Amino acid sequence: MPSSCVSSPSSSHRHQCVGRLLAPPVPRASLAAVRPSLRRSFVSLRATSTEAAAGPDVAPTGDAGKAAAVRAEMAEAAAVWCALHGLVVGDRADPRSGTVPGVGLVHAPFSLLPARFPSSFWKQACELAPIFNELVDRVSLDGEFLQSSLSRTRQVDDFTARLLEIHAKMMAVNKKEDIRLGLHRSDYMLDSETNSLLQIELNTISTSFPGLGSLVSKLHRSLLNRYGEVLGLDSERIPPNWAASQFAEALYKAWAEYHHDSAVVMMVVQPEERNMYDQYWLVNHLKESHGVTAIRKTLAQVEAEGQVLPDGTLVVDGRRVAVVYFRAGYAPNDYPSEVEWSGRLLIEESSAIKCPSISYHLVGTKKIQQELAKPNVLERFVDNKTHIAKLRKCFAGLWSLDNDEIVKSAIEKPDLFVLKPQREGGGNNLYGHDLRETLIRLQKEQGEALAAYILMQRIFPRASLTQLVQGGVCFEDLTISELGIFGAYLRNKDNIVINDQCGYLMRTKVSSSNEGGVAAGFAVLDSIILTDE
Amino acid sequence: MPSSCVSSPSSSHRHQCVGRLLAPPVPRASLAAVRPSLRRSFVSLRATSTEAAAGPDVAPTGDAGKAAAVRAEMAEAAAVWCALHGLVVGDRADPRSGTVPGVGLVHAPFSLLPARFPSSFWKQACELAPIFNELVDRVSLDGEFLQSSLSRTRQVDDFTARLLEIHAKMMAVNKKEDIRLGLHRSDYMLDSETNSLLQIELNTISTSFPGLGSLVSKLHRSLLNRYGEVLGLDSERIPPNWAASQFAEALYKAWAEYHHDSAVVMMVVQPEERNMYDQYWLVNHLKESHGVTAIRKTLAQVEAEGQVLPDGTLVVDGRRVAVVYFRAGYAPNDYPSEVEWSGRLLIEESSAIKCPSISYHLVGTKKIQQELAKPNVLERFVDNKTHIAKLRKCFAGLWSLDNDEIVKSAIEKPDLFVLKPQREGGGNNLYGHDLRETLIRLQKEQGEALAAYILMQRIFPRASLTQLVQGGVCFEDLTISELGIFGAYLRNKDNIVINDQCGYLMRTKVSSSNEGGVAAGFAVLDSIILTDE
């Protein structure tokens, strides 16, 4: 659910959460555990630009100085491309950049070359998208399941408790959402221990970077069209990425199902947002390709300026709202006062199409992810056995702390686990020694505190050397990557209008960042280049 | 010849020169002289956004508050458009913005709506473009004419003297430029006194804003597609503007005439340049549309890294240069030391195609403009009588100070004249009292000092109220505008490959800026919307 996981300046806090929650580090020690052949293949890829990147006029002497010059030329060409093509974020150095568009812009941080990614895992991840879309919809309809699964979480997490409160109100009045729109992103890592694609989380609210993410794929294609030959990389192996236009089309089609020509799409946003250009790309596509106006409002503005008419119509500033698209509202920080909660409730009570509804939002919580991983739970929601097998294959181990056997294992082998707070949108993951100490303390205390955490199988992503570009400067570091697959789902009663995979987002993070150093939270936007391995 | 006349932060000095040299102010007093009907029509246009700009959901009550809200909405949408579509400049507030691409970006200053411009004058200006292109080429071939016309200027202007020195060296070795490329911009104002289109100057070197200028036309089209109906403005009345792709195509075709596949285009640039994105648009088009690489070098880098091979080939950093495109070198400031002059000479001595050659550069001086305006001079270079008539029709009065009769008139009626220093790229124009005092002093002194100035008919452009957007802020001011018509000319011996009009640039300037106040130099990028008046 985090909206801004790349370390655009303002989002370092949130990224830090994401990085820590969702991207367990590959500690230096564990690098040795990576199978040499795999490790070499990754390192050699990312090093291509260092070792072999001789420009057309540079003799292939392996001269490090010339290779560095070509790399600098590529980084400069890439930064120019970003400025000309809108691959930009607000620069934290300019205080106005998060509030006023067009001011204080800087290119989004990016990797100079796309990350190698095996075709087979790419295919697997793409196939999962419509299956997860359908799963979210099915689970969302089971209000009792959501309430009971989250009943212990509500005791320890005020934020989830408030969401459940809204959900319960909707259940009490038997509120139905005939038109349901989901814009999801399922995030995966490749685990080098098991050589498998494992899901990190499923985002059902405020999935970010359909706009900038698809631009990075275009940037990498453009660079490889120019430098690919000398690098031995074929731009055609970068999968097409139309996430922005496909998400915009899904919003448009939902708008069309609402059947009211003068209605608008309302994007719920944070008061300050340095990744606003990611959102503006959707606004731009909606307007240019579909003629639909999107307005941007904070939850506080919705509360102050909005009302629900007796027939359920949501009106904000005199405009009828067909679709509410949340790009905020996923974290406790988004609700600094009761005003924001009132705004959220107002939206939920209306007949506007919500992306997501409160039910969809709850399906994306880590606790539900854990419940779905339990034996025989998927079978309640999915009929197709093949789909169930595919889903289960990507589930990492997830356990609640009432499972004494797992807790015992984790205390014995803490390096194989991650201890995650249940709380959404904040808090730090615990590893190793801290994980063991915390588990021992929680066991002694017993009680509700146990429900505040879940245990997850630790994933050991492969590490690679990567050229990262930030603020016009290129540098090399050891990184790990996380692949997000966007998915769109639109349903009107029994009619499934859309159920598609919609592009992808690769995020690449400095691997030392998870060890709590100064670089914590540093990540860049990336794309992938498919390999046959 | 100024490269950056819009007040992007770094160019305020140069704009000030342009504003003062080329855009005589419309003093408050003279506004009364504008014919009421014309004045009203202009003011009503620019005021449209204030008075009638009710959005689709705003009742047409003339409520100023609501109109202001719509204006703010338009300004925000426009600033977003700029960020997404690369209509950006370097922000002076960020010291790195002029040197590193992708850093410290801010939307280029722009007018919220296009300026009204009569179709008849637009047609006239477009028709002049190929005629001026041809004229430049013809005059450039007459080395004796250039040397003799500028012989007095060289006495008083060191910069022109240095250019003439290079020119004389080329004449001495009988250097021929078989392939000649001109990328020009002829600038005009509409004179309200004579109701005519008058040429301000003809730029033959470093003509700026083909990139950003064509984007502003697209921005205005996009805004009018959205708000045009309520404003009563038809986006189809904005002339298409492909200046960037047409200039890039001309550079490409020149490159192709050079017949060497691995050669590059070299852009000569200033060490610090906050309008670099205007240049990068050409680099981008060259690469993306034509597969040609453009490198950017300062004159000092050319001197340090370049050489001319015995066969005349220009090589810089090991790359053979097919075309040298000057985006610097037009002003004394561009030559802080002898190193830069050596770089310029090196280029001129090579067989690379120069845009412009030293001859083309000299044809663009104010003195040559003045010479061409003298009786029977055009006839030396142009055969076609219709062309001569069209050229002469757009010439404002231009006189040297050896014309006693005109000097006497100017002393009597100083408000009808502008006194311009001959010096290129610097110095201030003189008006009114200052003009009279200076003329009287010069008459007493006599001698060579007279040759340092020319007198020009003062142009009284129409003024209008305009919404200007800078740094994300929209404000209204009284402005005057100057229309530049881009033209491209490419010739290989007797074969004219290109002779076209190539889009346009409207610059709109706060009219009080010419009176020396704090706003001096403030100008925005603009486009035009054609009217039938």
Side-chain angles (χ1 to χ4, degrees):
Chain A
M1 49 224 64
S3 169
S4 335
C5 312
V6 149
S7 67
S8 84
S10 75
S11 65
S12 62
H13 166 70
R14 271 179 286 147
H15 164 68
Q16 187 166 5
C17 305
V18 178
R20 294 188 151 208
L21 277 174
L22 308 171
V26 50
R28 303 289 176 188
S30 80
L31 279 175
V34 178
R35 281 176 296 160
S37 64
L38 288 172
R39 188 181 172 196
R40 193 159 49 237
S41 71
F42 267 79
V43 171
S44 69
L45 157 81
R46 297 290 202 167
T48 305
S49 65
T50 320
E51 291 166 11
D57 293 286
V58 178
T61 58
D63 180 331
K66 287 199 174 178
V70 172
R71 197 166 60 237
E73 182 185 315
M74 282 183 70
E76 178 170 329
V80 168
W81 194 97
C82 291
L84 300 190
H85 296 86
L87 181 42
V88 294
V89 296
D91 188 343
R92 179 168 41 177
D94 188 325
R96 294 179 65 222
S97 66
T99 53
V100 181
V103 177
L105 308 170
V106 64
H107 73 80
F110 60 88
S111 66
L112 197 55
L113 291 171
R116 286 166 77 97
F117 200 89
S119 295
S120 55
F121 290 130
W122 163 248
K123 184 162 168 280
Q124 182 187 350
C126 290
E127 283 176 359
L128 282 165
I131 303 174
F132 270 116
N133 288 343
E134 188 69 39
L135 176 64
V136 170
D137 193 65
R138 292 292 294 273
V139 175
S140 79
L141 298 175
D142 193 340
E144 298 295 346
F145 172 77
L146 292 174
Q147 287 284 340
S148 65
S149 299
L150 293 162
S151 61
R152 286 194 72 194
T153 310
R154 84 184 307 160
Q155 310 295 322
V156 292
D157 178 17
D158 288 344
F159 178 65
T160 304
R162 294 300 298 259
L163 296 177
L164 285 167
E165 195 182 300
I166 294 174
H167 182 253
K169 278 183 186 165
M170 297 304 111
M171 284 180 75
V173 298
N174 200 25
K175 182 90 160 65
K176 297 290 178 215
E177 303 290 341
D178 285 338
I179 308 175
R180 302 191 292 276
L181 173 64
L183 296 176
H184 306 142
R185 197 189 67 226
S186 183
D187 292 334
Y188 304 93
M189 279 190 169
L190 291 181
D191 181 35
S192 59
E193 292 291 300
T194 58
N195 195 29
S196 62
L197 180 87
L198 294 180
Q199 187 184 43
I200 305 298
E201 70 169 355
L202 177 64
N203 303 283
T204 61
I205 182 169
S206 194
T207 52
S208 59
F209 294 116
L212 300 191
S214 42
L215 281 177
V216 175
S217 301
K218 292 195 183 73
L219 165 66
H220 282 157
R221 273 179 173 254
S222 168
L223 286 172
L224 290 198
N225 284 338
R226 184 161 170 184
Y227 299 96
E229 201 171 335
V230 73
L231 296 170
L233 297 172
D234 178 4
S235 68
E236 294 298 314
R237 305 279 293 178
I238 299 174
N241 193 351
W242 305 106
S245 53
Q246 287 180 289
F247 265 26
E249 190 179 359
L251 287 164
Y252 160 70
K253 286 193 171 167
W255 175 90
E257 293 289 329
Y258 186 86
H259 289 302
H260 198 288
D261 281 353
S262 71
V264 299
V265 170
M266 180 174 76
M267 201 176 270
V268 174
V269 298
Q270 293 172 328
E272 287 206 22
E273 172 58 84
R274 290 192 169 79
N275 283 322
M276 64 170 87
Y277 303 98
D278 183 54
Q279 302 166 8
Y280 279 125
W281 273 110
L282 295 187
V283 173
N284 182 67
H285 283 297
L286 266 173
K287 192 71 207 177
E288 298 285 322
S289 303
H290 306 292
V292 172
T293 297
I295 61 174
R296 297 170 80 253
K297 295 286 173 187
T298 63
L299 281 171
Q301 285 172 326
V302 171
E303 168 61 13
E305 302 160 12
Q307 57 175 317
V308 176
L309 304 184
D311 70 351
T313 302
L314 177 62
V315 176
V316 177
D317 283 351
R319 302 202 221 208
R320 177 191 282 254
V321 177
V323 181
V324 180
Y325 172 43
F326 286 91
R327 288 297 294 256
Y330 56 86
N333 286 346
D334 293 341
Y335 301 84
S337 74
E338 286 302 312
V339 168
E340 287 78 13
W341 284 113
S342 299
R344 177 74 189 261
L345 181 61
L346 190 80
I347 291 167
E348 203 62 34
E349 287 172 336
S350 79
S351 60
I353 301 162
K354 297 117 201 138
C355 178
S357 66
I358 190 72
S359 303
Y360 269 43
H361 185 172
L362 289 172
V363 175
T365 57
K366 285 192 289 287
K367 179 65 186 176
I368 297 299
Q369 186 187 7
Q370 178 207 328
E371 285 296 313
L372 292 172
K374 285 183 179 171
N376 301 318
V377 177
L378 277 181
E379 283 76 0
R380 285 177 59 179
F381 302 106
V382 184
D383 303 321
N384 186 314
K385 299 280 184 250
T386 314
H387 288 184
I388 291 173
K390 285 183 175 178
L391 289 169
R392 202 155 269 145
K393 191 176 173 191
C394 79
F395 285 173
L398 282 165
W399 307 273
S400 61
L401 269 56
D402 50 15
N403 184 330
D404 288 337
E405 196 176 340
I406 286 293
V407 171
K408 185 158 167 278
S409 299
I411 290 172
E412 283 170 10
K413 297 183 178 173
D415 285 343
L416 298 180
F417 296 85
V418 184
L419 188 61
K420 296 184 166 198
Q422 278 281 9
R423 206 165 57 244
E424 299 296 330
N428 299 322
N429 289 359
L430 297 173
Y431 301 96
H433 177 75
D434 294 341
L435 177 150
R436 184 203 303 257
E437 296 298 304
T438 305
L439 283 182
I440 290 170
R441 177 172 59 76
L442 290 171
Q443 270 198 326
K444 281 184 189 153
E445 293 173 2
Q446 285 291 330
E448 287 303 324
L450 285 169
Y453 292 89
I454 60 168
L455 269 170
M456 185 171 172
Q457 169 192 350
R458 186 161 179 178
I459 297 171
F460 294 97
R462 299 163 185 175
S464 64
L465 278 174
T466 306
Q467 306 292 333
L468 310 167
V469 184
Q470 186 195 35
V473 176
C474 185
F475 61 99
E476 190 177 69
D477 213 329
L478 203 61
T479 62
I480 55 172
S481 295
E482 184 174 331
L483 178 68
I485 302 287
F486 293 109
Y489 187 85
L490 175 62
R491 183 176 185 129
N492 191 342
K493 296 180 184 160
D494 286 342
N495 179 30
I496 298 173
V497 184
I498 301 175
N499 185 11
D500 286 332
Q501 181 254 330
C502 297
Y504 59 96
L505 168 71
M506 191 73 160
R507 276 169 301 166
T508 288
K509 309 166 188 185
V510 173
S511 58
S512 63
S513 72
N514 298 78
E515 297 173 28
V518 285
F522 184 70
V524 300
L525 296 173
D526 201 347
S527 76
I528 61 175
I529 185 162
L530 299 180
T531 67
D532 294 328
E533 65 193 66
Chain B
M1 49 222 59
S3 170
S4 336
C5 311
V6 148
S7 66
S8 85
S10 76
S11 65
S12 62
H13 165 70
R14 272 178 287 146
H15 164 67
Q16 188 166 4
C17 304
V18 178
R20 296 190 150 207
L21 278 173
L22 307 171
V26 50
R28 303 287 177 190
S30 80
L31 279 173
V34 178
R35 281 176 297 159
S37 64
L38 288 173
R39 188 182 169 194
R40 194 159 48 237
S41 71
F42 266 79
V43 171
S44 69
L45 157 81
R46 296 289 202 168
T48 306
S49 64
T50 320
E51 292 166 11
D57 292 287
V58 178
T61 57
D63 180 333
K66 288 200 173 176
V70 171
R71 198 165 58 236
E73 182 184 315
M74 282 183 70
E76 178 170 330
V80 168
W81 194 98
C82 291
L84 300 191
H85 295 86
L87 181 41
V88 294
V89 295
D91 189 342
R92 179 168 43 177
D94 187 325
R96 295 179 65 221
S97 65
T99 53
V100 181
V103 176
L105 308 170
V106 63
H107 73 80
F110 60 87
S111 67
L112 196 55
L113 292 171
R116 287 168 76 97
F117 200 88
S119 296
S120 55
F121 290 129
W122 164 249
K123 185 163 167 280
Q124 183 188 348
C126 290
E127 283 176 358
L128 282 165
I131 304 174
F132 271 115
N133 289 342
E134 188 67 39
L135 176 64
V136 170
D137 192 65
R138 292 292 294 274
V139 176
S140 79
L141 298 176
D142 192 340
E144 299 295 347
F145 172 77
L146 292 174
Q147 287 285 340
S148 65
S149 298
L150 292 163
S151 61
R152 286 195 71 193
T153 309
R154 81 185 310 160
Q155 310 295 322
V156 292
D157 178 17
D158 289 344
F159 179 66
T160 304
R162 295 301 298 261
L163 296 177
L164 285 168
E165 194 181 302
I166 294 174
H167 182 253
K169 279 184 186 166
M170 297 304 112
M171 285 181 74
V173 298
N174 199 26
K175 182 90 159 64
K176 297 291 178 212
E177 303 290 342
D178 287 338
I179 307 174
R180 301 192 292 276
L181 173 64
L183 297 176
H184 306 142
R185 197 188 66 225
S186 183
D187 291 335
Y188 304 93
M189 279 190 168
L190 291 181
D191 181 36
S192 60
E193 291 292 299
T194 58
N195 195 30
S196 62
L197 180 86
L198 294 180
Q199 188 184 42
I200 304 300
E201 71 169 354
L202 178 63
N203 303 283
T204 60
I205 182 169
S206 193
T207 52
S208 59
F209 295 117
L212 300 191
S214 43
L215 281 177
V216 175
S217 301
K218 292 195 184 72
L219 165 65
H220 283 157
R221 273 180 174 253
S222 168
L223 286 173
L224 291 197
N225 283 339
R226 183 160 171 186
Y227 299 96
E229 201 171 335
V230 74
L231 296 170
L233 296 173
D234 178 4
S235 68
E236 294 297 315
R237 305 280 293 178
I238 299 174
N241 193 352
W242 306 106
S245 52
Q246 287 181 289
F247 265 25
E249 191 179 359
L251 287 164
Y252 160 69
K253 286 193 171 167
W255 175 90
E257 293 289 329
Y258 186 85
H259 290 302
H260 198 289
D261 280 354
S262 71
V264 299
V265 170
M266 180 174 76
M267 201 176 271
V268 174
V269 299
Q270 294 172 328
E272 285 207 23
E273 172 59 84
R274 290 194 169 77
N275 283 324
M276 63 169 88
Y277 304 98
D278 184 53
Q279 302 166 8
Y280 278 125
W281 273 111
L282 295 187
V283 173
N284 183 67
H285 283 295
L286 265 174
K287 191 73 207 176
E288 298 285 322
S289 302
H290 306 292
V292 172
T293 297
I295 60 174
R296 298 169 80 252
K297 294 287 172 188
T298 63
L299 281 172
Q301 285 172 324
V302 171
E303 168 61 13
E305 303 160 10
Q307 58 174 316
V308 176
L309 304 184
D311 70 350
T313 302
L314 177 62
V315 175
V316 178
D317 282 350
R319 304 203 220 208
R320 177 192 281 255
V321 177
V323 181
V324 180
Y325 172 43
F326 286 92
R327 289 298 293 256
Y330 56 86
N333 286 345
D334 293 341
Y335 302 83
S337 74
E338 285 302 311
V339 168
E340 287 78 14
W341 284 112
S342 298
R344 179 72 188 263
L345 181 61
L346 190 80
I347 291 168
E348 203 63 35
E349 287 172 336
S350 79
S351 59
I353 301 163
K354 297 115 200 140
C355 179
S357 66
I358 191 71
S359 303
Y360 269 43
H361 185 172
L362 290 171
V363 175
T365 57
K366 286 194 287 289
K367 180 65 185 174
I368 297 299
Q369 186 186 9
Q370 178 207 329
E371 285 296 313
L372 292 171
K374 284 183 179 171
N376 301 317
V377 178
L378 276 181
E379 283 76 0
R380 288 177 58 179
F381 302 105
V382 184
D383 302 322
N384 187 314
K385 300 280 183 250
T386 313
H387 288 183
I388 291 174
K390 285 183 175 177
L391 289 169
R392 202 155 269 144
K393 192 176 173 191
C394 79
F395 285 173
L398 282 164
W399 306 273
S400 61
L401 268 56
D402 50 14
N403 184 328
D404 288 337
E405 196 177 340
I406 286 294
V407 172
K408 186 159 165 274
S409 298
I411 291 173
E412 283 169 11
K413 296 182 177 173
D415 285 344
L416 298 181
F417 295 86
V418 184
L419 188 61
K420 297 185 165 197
Q422 277 282 10
R423 207 165 56 244
E424 299 296 332
N428 299 321
N429 290 358
L430 297 173
Y431 301 95
H433 178 75
D434 294 341
L435 177 149
R436 185 203 302 255
E437 296 297 306
T438 305
L439 284 181
I440 290 170
R441 178 173 56 78
L442 291 171
Q443 270 199 325
K444 282 184 190 154
E445 295 171 3
Q446 284 294 331
E448 286 306 322
L450 283 169
Y453 292 89
I454 61 168
L455 268 170
M456 185 172 172
Q457 169 192 350
R458 185 160 179 180
I459 296 171
F460 295 96
R462 299 164 185 174
S464 65
L465 278 173
T466 305
Q467 307 291 333
L468 309 167
V469 184
Q470 186 195 33
V473 177
C474 185
F475 61 97
E476 190 176 70
D477 213 328
L478 202 61
T479 61
I480 56 173
S481 295
E482 184 174 334
L483 178 69
I485 303 287
F486 293 109
Y489 187 84
L490 175 62
R491 183 176 185 127
N492 191 342
K493 296 181 185 160
D494 286 342
N495 179 31
I496 298 173
V497 184
I498 302 175
N499 185 10
D500 286 332
Q501 180 255 330
C502 297
Y504 59 97
L505 167 72
M506 191 73 158
R507 277 170 301 166
T508 288
K509 308 164 188 185
V510 172
S511 58
S512 62
S513 71
N514 298 77
E515 296 171 29
V518 284
F522 183 70
V524 300
L525 296 173
D526 201 348
S527 76
I528 61 174
I529 185 163
L530 299 180
T531 67
D532 294 327
E533 64 193 67

